[in-house]
Amino acid sequence: SLRLHVTHRAEPGDSVRDYLEMEVASGLANIDYYRQFGQRAGVLRDELRALLYDLKAKGRSIAAYGAAAKGATLLNFAGIDNTVIDFVVDRNIHKVGLFMPGVEIPIREPEALRAELPDHVLILTWNFAGEIVRQQEWYIRAGGKFVLPIPRPMVLDDVAEVQGADYAVA
């Protein structure tokens, strides 16, 4: 995230120059960085689609957790819609009863996980995966499996595996 304070100035300040230098040093000024990012995103999309479509083909029920914009972006980019994901749960009462944009997946309250007990839950707010798994540990104990999409799609189906997983993802 960036917080910017914008003013009219003849020359950029030191913080702006420092940030631009960091971008250049990180490769962000090179078009190849973005080509590689696009390739990595495509591989991730394909792996996630393959995993979820395979689970669905095996008759597994799939829900998702977190109706955030980043999750909607991922679902739309991957072409994962309401034929794959049955519903999304979110703690924000203002989202409950609505649909994920573009993919028309209904958003329900978190209690729907207990009521429906889907076989798998895709975590769409992966930056909060650790917190979500701790809050919903009962789900794993009841036989459910979380799917973490980032940094690589993976199924977490054991309490020890979930507790030991690296959730430090961007």
Side-chain angles (χ1 to χ4, degrees):
S1 296
L2 295 175
R3 180 177 289 176
L4 305 172
H5 300 273
V6 181
T7 63
H8 290 285
R9 245 182 164 177
E11 293 292 322
D14 290 341
S15 64
V16 173
R17 275 194 290 279
D18 291 346
Y19 197 82
L20 291 172
E21 287 174 13
M22 185 274 305
E23 285 184 345
V24 170
S26 298
L28 295 174
N30 185 333
I31 191 67
D32 288 336
Y33 176 90
Y34 299 96
R35 286 186 182 118
Q36 291 169 5
F37 175 82
Q39 290 170 349
R40 289 191 313 270
V43 168
L44 174 83
R45 175 199 59 219
D46 296 346
E47 289 176 356
L48 183 61
R49 281 179 57 85
L51 173 63
L52 295 177
Y53 277 83
D54 181 59
L55 291 171
K56 203 64 174 182
K58 291 177 179 173
R60 305 283 166 43
S61 56
I62 306 171
Y65 196 106
K70 71 193 310 171
T73 300
L74 176 67
L75 293 173
N76 280 279
F77 175 64
I80 298 167
D81 60 15
N82 59 9
T83 64
V84 179
I85 306 289
D86 302 320
F87 60 92
V88 175
V89 299
D90 198 283
R91 294 176 64 186
N92 183 337
I93 60 169
H94 301 293
K95 295 180 181 182
V96 172
L98 302 177
F99 293 83
M100 293 294 285
V103 292
E104 299 183 15
I105 302 170
I107 302 169
R108 298 173 62 187
E109 67 287 334
E111 292 76 25
L113 290 181
R114 283 193 192 272
E116 302 287 332
L117 196 60
D119 297 311
H120 294 81
V121 172
L122 173 65
I123 299 177
L124 294 176
T125 50
W126 50 88
N127 54 320
F128 296 112
E131 179 183 338
I132 291 166
V133 168
R134 282 188 294 280
Q135 288 173 0
Q136 306 296 324
E137 189 175 309
W138 67 268
Y139 171 73
I140 291 279
R141 295 196 188 284
K145 298 172 176 59
F146 283 106
V147 177
L148 193 61
I150 306 283
R152 291 200 81 110
M154 65 179 101
V155 176
L156 303 173
D157 59 358
D158 173 90
V159 171
E161 179 184 28
V162 170
Q163 291 171 339
D166 178 13
Y167 297 113
V169 295

